[in-house]
Amino acid sequence: MQKVMEKGKIEQFRDVLPEEVIRYIRENQTTAFEGFLHYDLFAFDWYDVEQKGVWTAPIMIYMDEEHLFSLCGHERTLKKVQELTDNYVNQDKPLENEKVLYLFFAGLLRNDMEALTAMEDEITEAEDETLVASRKEYLKKIVMYRKELLRLKRYYEQLDSALDNLTANANGLLSEEAVRRLTILANRTERFRNSVLNLRDYVTQMREAYQAQIDIEQNKLMKVFTVITSVFLPLTLLVGWYGMNFEYMPEISWEYGYFAFIGVSIAVCIVMLIFFKKKKWF
């Protein structure tokens, strides 16, 4: 028997399923993969790779020598599993369980390479837009890409774990041909996961380059402030000196003392600016 249904309807099949399986499913105790002597029970959170930003939805699969049940925790996953298996499940002459399982995972991964390639192109274009886009928008894109790649990483890790355990075939439910086919899918999933990790590293480098650019601009700004402070520091000394108003200072009683002070101040500024320019400090 092969069925695709909502998880809540599993109670209808108490006559064909072990009691502990019903209890596991009802209490949501199933982890990534549980292999028993006569059956396998595993779950993963399906993520629609072609639609960024959507939430994950759980899919649970039970398989023994005679039965294959795909249990969906949400209507969205139910439609997806039905879309992938309608040609094989609930038919008068269904395929063998292991073939349906292979076709399900193959369909699940069918368009992932194109989706990952499109995302890579989008990230590359976003990096090229750095010079024209606002900083706020660029940083927002980086955060969005990091979140999306984290979801993809978790998704492929779950699929990889499920396929690895299936290909181990500890209870002998699968034939050698089925193990070989599922191994190909496991390797494909591993490549997708590595691609996601590479993209995460790329986005991290983009963020570091963005931060480095901000640091450079801040350093340039601090350099300008430092030059301005250095130029006016001698003038502050002169102002403090002549601000003491000692009577015996000849410049105070001199007719042109005020203009001389202005001239000296301007000369000090020019000399220091020329010195900084030769040193290439600004």
Side-chain angles (χ1 to χ4, degrees), residues 92-278:
D92 294 336
K93 293 182 179 180
L95 296 177
E96 296 177 359
N97 290 342
E98 59 185 27
K99 290 184 178 180
V100 173
L101 190 65
Y102 165 78
L103 292 169
F104 165 71
F105 279 112
L108 208 60
L109 299 170
R110 182 177 298 121
N111 300 320
D112 288 26
M113 179 57 72
E114 289 79 3
L116 291 176
T117 301
M119 188 173 188
E120 182 178 1
D121 293 339
E122 184 179 342
I123 292 174
T124 304
E125 290 176 5
E127 185 181 28
D128 295 337
E129 293 173 359
T130 314
L131 299 177
V132 295
S134 67
R135 289 180 178 176
K136 186 176 181 181
E137 290 298 321
Y138 184 68
L139 187 58
K140 189 183 297 183
K141 282 187 176 182
I142 290 178
V143 173
M144 180 191 71
Y145 290 140
R146 285 173 63 86
K147 289 182 178 179
E148 179 68 16
L149 292 169
L150 179 60
R151 295 188 190 102
L152 289 170
K153 172 179 168 292
R154 290 173 177 171
Y155 171 56
Y156 287 125
E157 283 177 346
Q158 290 184 62
L159 282 183
D160 192 38
S161 175
L163 288 168
D164 281 346
N165 281 282
L166 280 171
T167 54
N169 198 26
N171 48 20
L173 288 178
L174 301 175
S175 65
E176 291 184 4
E177 177 63 17
V179 170
R180 186 186 67 81
R181 289 175 175 269
L182 290 173
T183 300
I184 294 174
L185 294 182
N187 293 335
R188 187 182 307 172
T189 304
E190 178 66 19
R191 288 196 300 272
F192 291 161
R193 190 181 74 89
N194 290 334
S195 296
V196 170
L197 292 177
N198 290 335
L199 286 176
R200 284 190 72 196
D201 292 340
Y202 186 33
V203 171
T204 300
Q205 292 172 6
M206 288 172 58
R207 186 174 184 178
E208 291 174 351
Y210 169 77
Q211 186 62 47
Q213 183 64 30
I214 292 178
D215 292 341
I216 291 172
E217 293 178 4
Q218 288 178 342
N219 289 337
K220 289 181 179 178
L221 184 60
M222 291 302 297
K223 185 184 292 185
V224 172
F225 287 144
T226 302
V227 169
I228 293 174
T229 302
S230 300
V231 168
F232 283 94
L233 190 60
L235 303 184
T236 304
L237 176 61
L238 291 174
V239 169
W241 186 8
Y242 283 94
M244 294 185 291
N245 295 322
F246 293 141
E247 294 182 1
Y248 56 82
M249 295 177 69
E251 296 88 347
I252 294 178
S253 58
W254 184 31
E255 180 181 358
Y256 301 103
Y258 182 71
F259 299 102
F261 182 82
I262 294 175
V264 171
S265 299
I266 294 174
V268 168
C269 291
I270 292 174
V271 169
M272 294 195 69
L273 288 174
I274 293 174
F275 176 76
F276 291 152
K277 190 68 175 178
K278 286 186 176 181

Side-chain angles (χ1 to χ4, degrees), residues 48-65:
D48 194 345
V49 177
E50 299 179 71
Q51 296 185 20
K52 294 186 296 185
V54 297
W55 42 269
T56 58
I59 297 177
M60 188 179 296
I61 295 177
Y62 168 86
M63 184 180 69
D64 59 23
E65 292 183 354

Side-chain angles (χ1 to χ4, degrees), residues 7 10-11 13-31 34-42 60-64 71 171:
K7 188 168 61 174
I10 194 64
E11 300 281 351
F13 297 92
R14 286 183 171 274
D15 54 333
V16 296
L17 293 177
E19 180 61 32
E20 64 268 20
V21 172
I22 300 291
R23 186 175 67 255
Y24 283 156
I25 296 173
R26 185 176 62 245
E27 298 177 359
N28 291 320
Q29 293 183 5
T30 304
T31 55
E34 295 185 20
F36 296 88
L37 183 60
H38 300 295
Y39 62 86
D40 288 329
L41 182 64
F42 59 95
M60 188 179 296
I61 295 177
Y62 168 86
M63 184 180 69
D64 59 23
L71 310 171
N171 48 20

